[in-house]
Amino acid sequence: MIWIRSFFRKTTTKVYFFVLCFLFIGIYLLNSFTNYYTNLLNNAFRENTVLYVIGQNDYYNTIFQYKSAESIQDALIFTPNYECKTLARQGQIIQDMTTGSIISNTPSEELSRLTWEELAVIQKGNRIFVLASDELKENEIRLSLNIQVSYDIPLTELNNEPLDIKYNGTEYNFVIKEIVNSRFPEIYIFREKFNEIKENSTVYAYKVIMNSYYDAQNIVKKLNEKEQNSDFYVSLNRVENQNDKYNMSGLIEMTDILRMVSLVAIIVLILVFFVIIKNIISEEKGRMRLQYSLGYNQNHSKIIVFKELLILLIFVILISLFISMLLIMWIKNYQKISLGLFDFSFLIQMMLIVTIIISVLSLMLKTH
C-alpha cells in the first residue's frame, strides 16, 4: 500500500489522471450523442423505408441473420394488366436523347383515374408487390398506396369493382374490397390464393422491415456482391412526408459525422492512454529496482505496477462517469435532448481495451 500511496501523490500521476478524465468524459458524451442520433435515424428509417429483394436465389437466411430485421414477408411480383380497364394506364413519352425527336408517345387514359403505375413499388419494369392477408376473402383484393393525388372521381367508387391480375400467363379475378392509404404501394390478396400462386413461382421476393439503417446498408451491399444476375433487384425504398418530425438525410449526415468523430476520439484515447501507461512504467522502473534490491522478486514488482495502473483506471472511469452523468442530466433538463444516461456495453468495451494495454505493457516490463 505504501508504494501505491506514493504513486498517487506524484504530480505526474495527477496530471495523467486529469488528462484521461477529460478524454473519457469527451468520448462518453460523444458516444451518448451518437447513440441518440442513431436511435432517431433508426426510428425514422423504420417508418419511412422498406427493403425489397427480388431474385432467382433465396436470400431469406442471409436477411434473417440480422436481428434488426423486424419482419420478412414473402411476396409475389406482378406487372400491370392493362387489359383490365378498372385502372388506367399512365402516359409515356420515349425521346431520342441525341436528336430530341419523339420515338413514342402513349397518352394517359383518363387522368382522373387511378393508374396501374401508381401501384408499382419498383419503377423498373413497373413491378407490383403482392402480399398475403388473413383479413380478406378468397376473391377480395386490397389496394394500398400513398395517396398524394386528388382524383376527380373518389377512390371509394372503385370498391367492389373487378380487378384482374395475370401471373405466368394465368389470369386471376378479384374484386376490390377497399383502397387504403399507406407509405408504400402494395396489393393484398387472400392468403390461400397467395400460396396457390406462389407454388408456380420461380422468383423469390421479400418485403423487409428493418429498424437499423446501417444494418440495412450492409444487407444491400452484401446481396449486391453475391448476386450478378441482371434480373436481381435489391433496393431500399424511402418515402418521407412533409409532416415527418425528422429529415432522414439530415439524420444520416449527422450520425455519420458523429460515428466518425467518435471513432477518431477513441483511437486518440487509446494512443494517449498507451503513451501515459508507457511513461508511468518508465518512471516506475527506478522504484522497481529499489524493490528488487530489498528482496522483492520481479513478478511481485510487476503486480504492484499493474495494481497502480488498474486503480488509476478505475478512478478515472468512476470520476469521469459521475461527471458525464451530471452533464447528461443537465443537457436533458435544459437542452431537452434525451441522451442515454448509462451505457454499460460502452464502458465494458473501454475497460477491456485499456486493461489489455495495461496487461501487455506490464508483462513486457523489466526491472533490471
Side-chain angles (χ1 to χ4, degrees):
M1 290 299 294
I2 296 175
W3 305 110
I4 293 176
R5 287 174 185 168
S6 62
F7 169 73
F8 281 97
R9 290 194 185 104
K10 292 169 63 175
T11 302
T12 52
T13 302
K14 294 175 182 177
V15 172
Y16 295 148
F17 173 80
F18 285 112
V19 170
L20 290 174
C21 280
F22 177 79
L23 284 173
F24 191 90
I25 291 169
I27 289 174
Y28 193 87
L29 291 176
L30 263 176
N31 180 70
S32 296
F33 274 101
T34 302
N35 290 340
Y36 171 74
Y37 279 100
T38 300
N39 289 334
L40 289 181
L41 171 59
N42 288 339
N43 290 334
F45 177 81
R46 184 189 179 283
E47 293 297 321
N48 295 289
T49 312
V50 171
L51 172 65
Y52 292 110
V53 181
I54 306 172
Q56 303 295 322
N57 299 311
D58 189 359
Y59 290 108
Y60 181 91
N61 290 332
T62 302
I63 301 170
F64 186 74
Q65 291 174 0
Y66 289 82
K67 293 181 179 180
S68 56
E70 285 191 1
S71 68
I72 308 173
Q73 289 180 270
D74 284 319
L76 296 169
I77 305 302
F78 286 77
T79 53
N81 178 20
Y82 294 121
E83 294 177 8
C84 178
K85 299 303 181 179
T86 300
L87 302 185
R89 180 169 188 171
Q90 197 174 70
Q92 184 183 50
I93 298 176
I94 301 177
Q95 188 175 17
D96 190 318
M97 300 303 293
T98 304
T99 63
S101 60
I102 303 297
I103 299 173
S104 173
N105 186 356
T106 306
S108 297
E109 302 173 356
E110 296 185 38
L111 294 178
S112 62
R113 290 165 55 200
L114 177 65
T115 66
W116 282 102
E117 286 76 12
E118 287 173 272
L119 290 172
V121 72
I122 300 171
Q123 298 303 313
K124 182 181 178 181
N126 287 331
R127 286 182 276 191
I128 300 170
F129 256 64
V130 177
L131 305 169
S133 172
D134 295 318
E135 300 173 355
L136 299 172
K137 297 178 182 178
E138 183 174 1
N139 68 330
E140 291 180 335
I141 192 168
R142 178 190 296 126
L143 309 185
S144 172
L145 71 158
N146 197 339
I147 302 173
Q148 298 177 340
V149 179
S150 296
Y151 298 92
D152 294 339
I153 302 174
L155 293 179
T156 53
E157 291 194 6
L158 290 175
N159 291 351
N160 301 316
E161 289 292 314
L163 188 68
D164 306 325
I165 58 179
K166 285 185 177 181
Y167 192 80
N168 286 342
T170 302
E171 185 173 285
Y172 297 91
N173 309 115
F174 295 94
V175 173
I176 298 174
K177 179 185 179 183
E178 60 183 348
I179 300 176
V180 298
N181 190 23
S182 69
R183 297 234 172 185
F184 298 93
E186 294 158 347
I187 287 179
Y188 289 87
I189 62 175
F190 181 54
R191 183 172 296 279
E192 289 187 15
K193 179 64 70 173
F194 177 93
N195 293 335
E196 175 189 325
I197 300 173
K198 187 171 175 59
E199 288 179 0
N200 301 317
S201 175
T202 58
V203 175
Y204 295 95
Y206 297 105
K207 171 192 173 183
V208 185
I209 302 295
M210 302 194 68
N211 58 27
S212 170
Y213 167 79
Y214 292 102
D215 279 356
Q217 298 295 322
N218 288 334
I219 287 179
V220 171
K221 181 180 178 182
K222 183 180 290 187
L223 293 182
N224 278 322
E225 289 174 351
K226 282 186 175 183
E227 186 64 66
Q228 302 299 323
N229 194 308
S230 58
D231 292 332
F232 175 74
Y233 181 90
V234 57
S235 174
L236 289 168
N237 285 29
R238 188 170 82 193
V239 174
E240 290 186 73
N241 292 337
Q242 293 181 350
N243 295 329
D244 289 342
K245 186 176 181 181
Y246 297 103
N247 176 271
M248 270 194 61
S249 299
L251 288 174
I252 291 170
E253 183 179 359
M254 176 63 74
T255 306
D256 284 343
I257 291 172
L258 286 171
R259 283 164 65 97
M260 181 59 67
V261 173
S262 294
L263 178 61
V264 172
I266 289 173
I267 293 173
V268 170
L269 173 65
I270 292 172
L271 291 175
V272 170
F273 193 81
F274 183 88
V275 171
I276 287 176
I277 298 305
K278 195 171 181 181
N279 288 344
I280 290 174
I281 289 176
S282 297
E283 293 171 3
E284 292 296 296
K285 280 185 178 181
R287 194 176 66 181
M288 290 176 67
R289 293 191 186 95
L290 176 60
Q291 291 172 343
Y292 186 75
S293 65
L294 293 174
Y296 289 90
N297 61 41
Q298 185 174 355
N299 288 333
H300 189 272
S301 298
K302 287 183 178 181
I303 290 172
I304 292 176
V305 174
F306 180 80
K307 286 181 179 179
E308 292 172 347
L309 297 175
L310 191 59
I311 292 172
L312 174 64
L313 168 64
I314 292 171
F315 275 122
V316 166
I317 290 178
L318 290 176
I319 299 299
S320 301
L321 186 59
F322 176 73
I323 296 174
S324 298
M325 286 184 171
L326 289 179
L327 290 172
I328 289 173
M329 290 172 66
W330 179 83
I331 292 171
K332 291 177 70 172
N333 291 331
Y334 294 96
Q335 303 302 317
K336 306 303 179 183
I337 300 176
S338 300
L339 300 181
L341 193 60
F342 187 76
D343 191 338
F344 183 75
S345 61
F346 175 75
L347 288 174
I348 293 297
Q349 292 172 12
M350 289 295 97
M351 289 187 68
L352 183 62
I353 291 172
V354 294
T355 302
I356 291 172
I357 294 174
I358 292 173
S359 301
V360 171
L361 291 179
S362 298
L363 288 173
M364 294 172 61
L365 184 61
K366 294 182 180 180
T367 57
H368 60 281

